[in-house]
Amino acid sequence: MPFLHFSTAKAMEPDKKAKLASGIMECVKLLPGKPAERAMIRIDSECDIYRNGEIAECAFMETIYQKPLPEEACRAYIEALYDLMKRELDLDVPQCYFAMVDLDTWGSRGTLH
């Protein structure tokens, strides 16, 4: 169950966020052992994201998950996300950043794993 937090300076209506969330879920399918239907996705739009002291039209997404993933799968996932950002938000490669965070511990189902 990965948790994905996406922030962008772009304005997004609820229907656009829902479409983006569906696209992100499709990308999650590239991560072995991470069920897309269990992914938790948070989308924040109209964020004040600064670059060089000025608000920039850009985006940042963090994917948090438990247990390491193969580098090839992470690469395919990131590349699919770049395609999605271009297609859905018209954000080019230099405007998007992605972080993959692998946790050693995870709490779920009432206990620590």
Side-chain angles (χ1 to χ4, degrees):
M1 189 275 321
F3 175 73
L4 305 98
H5 185 187
F6 177 77
S7 300
T8 183
K10 285 189 166 264
M12 296 176 68
E13 296 296 324
D15 59 329
K16 185 79 169 175
K17 286 183 180 183
K19 186 174 181 184
L20 182 63
S22 293
I24 292 170
M25 275 184 54
E26 287 301 310
C27 295
V28 169
K29 292 177 181 178
L30 297 168
L31 301 174
K34 308 299 177 204
E37 66 277 1
R38 296 194 57 213
M40 297 173 65
I41 302 168
R42 176 179 173 175
I43 297 175
D44 296 326
S45 62
E46 295 186 85
C47 298
D48 292 342
I49 301 174
Y50 289 82
R51 291 178 81 184
N52 197 27
E54 297 179 12
I55 293 179
E57 190 168 281
C58 58
F60 180 80
M61 187 165 124
E62 182 176 51
T63 302
I64 304 171
Y65 54 95
Q66 183 187 23
K67 298 184 183 166
L69 292 167
E71 184 178 335
E72 316 81 61
C74 291
R75 184 178 314 282
Y77 172 70
I78 295 285
E79 290 173 0
L81 288 171
Y82 273 114
D83 289 342
L84 178 67
M85 296 306 134
K86 179 62 179 169
R87 190 173 60 250
E88 294 298 326
L89 299 176
D90 197 32
L91 288 171
D92 290 320
V93 169
Q95 297 169 291
C96 301
Y97 295 86
F98 301 101
M100 303 288 286
V101 181
D102 172 17
L103 300 177
D104 292 332
T105 56
W106 192 269
S108 67
R109 298 184 184 120
T111 190
L112 180 67
H113 300 276

